[in-house]
Amino acid sequence: MRPYRRWLSLPGQGSWPRVHAIALLLLLLIGACPASAAPNSVSAASTAHVYLLRGVLNIFSLGLDDIAAQLRAQGIPVTVANFASWSSLADEAALAYKSGRIKTIILVGHSSGATALPDMVARLDQLGAPVKLAIGLDSVFRTKLSGRVGRYVNFYIANGNGEPVARTAQLQGKLENINVQDVPGVGHMSIEKNQIMQRKVISEIDAVVFGRSAPASRIQKPRQPGAAGAARAGIANTAAVRQ
């Protein structure tokens, strides 16, 4: 028997190199698993694009900048613009979608930016670029939703000036109107700055881009009929954002 074969086969001291070799091989195999998954996440993020629309005056929707920064930190491309740019942004997104540079279009709007979202969804549908996710933050005007959208989430403050979004017969997709008036510290001028709401928005986006699960919203209904239920009849079906 050759010396190196005797060294590998002998018990005691000779068995340790084999154990170390096997352990090293296992570590290399385990370490390779996350590395193989990483490119998929990077690819999913790089081919998505989030358009964030501010309200009438850009100085009142600065919370969207915080959301944009957190999304960029995850490698997700974003565009932050005033709501008045929604039409040109839709044209830009459609061209990128048709070229293959963008595969997932996501929209977020605050105040007048939220009011513009249904128009942007319809425009993108006409251009052959469906929206995967749209999130409205307290639109103060009544709007109607049509066209193709994977999911449209309208967060509104029912005891303020917020309005639910109406469904049309032309809508192809899921629409959710969620009353967030019970979220601590939420208001029309702070809804996009509120950390609870920011986490909710980002988790919804992450669920689409990375396939992560987003916290489900729970519908709240009056426990018993009566005076208390009648007083809340206008907002019987409300939802609270789970932290």
Side-chain angles (χ1 to χ4, degrees):
M1 182 180 293
R2 296 183 180 180
Y4 73 88
R5 289 183 178 176
R6 184 172 61 253
W7 177 75
L8 287 173
S9 60
L10 287 175
Q13 182 179 359
S15 63
W16 284 105
R18 285 188 295 171
V19 172
H20 290 166
I22 294 171
L24 179 59
L25 178 60
L26 289 174
L27 288 174
L28 290 173
L29 290 174
I30 293 172
C33 294
S36 62
N40 293 331
S41 297
V42 172
S43 176
S46 64
T47 56
H49 201 107
V50 181
Y51 295 88
L52 300 107
L53 303 183
R54 295 191 179 106
V56 175
L57 298 176
N58 291 334
I59 59 174
F60 295 127
S61 298
L62 297 182
L64 295 183
D65 293 340
D66 296 332
I67 294 174
Q70 295 179 63
L71 294 174
R72 288 191 183 104
Q74 298 184 87
I76 302 175
V78 302
T79 296
V80 184
N82 187 265
F83 81 99
S85 303
W86 71 263
S87 182
S88 60
L89 290 175
D91 293 344
E92 173 188 305
L95 286 174
Y97 180 84
K98 292 178 179 179
S99 71
R101 290 189 292 112
I102 295 178
K103 295 182 179 179
T104 305
I105 299 174
I106 298 173
L107 312 178
V108 180
H110 170 236
S111 191
S112 293
T115 302
L117 289 192
D119 289 333
M120 192 168 179
V121 168
R123 173 67 175 167
L124 283 164
D125 182 35
Q126 292 171 358
L127 296 173
V131 175
K132 189 72 173 179
L133 172 68
I135 301 175
L137 298 172
D138 209 39
S139 169
V140 296
F141 296 97
R142 291 184 179 274
T143 56
K144 296 180 180 180
L145 183 62
S146 61
R148 287 179 296 168
V149 58
R151 186 160 169 257
Y152 192 110
V153 184
N154 176 51
F155 293 113
Y156 72 105
I157 304 171
N159 61 358
N161 296 318
E163 294 284 352
V165 176
R167 174 186 294 272
T168 68
Q170 293 73 38
L171 174 62
Q172 299 179 44
K174 185 176 181 181
L175 169 62
E176 296 179 57
N177 285 299
I178 302 175
N179 176 15
V180 294
Q181 67 182 30
D182 294 329
V183 173
V186 76
H188 180 70
M189 304 305 297
S190 64
I191 186 171
E192 92 292 356
K193 303 176 186 69
N194 185 286
Q195 292 188 3
I196 296 173
M197 294 305 304
Q198 287 189 357
R199 288 197 297 270
K200 180 64 177 173
V201 170
I202 292 172
S203 68
E204 294 284 359
I205 294 172
D206 286 351
V208 169
V209 175
F210 301 112
R212 301 171 186 170
S213 58
S217 299
R218 295 178 296 177
I219 302 299
Q220 295 180 333
K221 297 182 180 179
R223 293 182 179 179
Q224 296 178 351
R232 296 191 297 270
I235 52 171
N237 292 327
T238 62
V241 175
R242 183 186 301 169
Q243 299 183 34

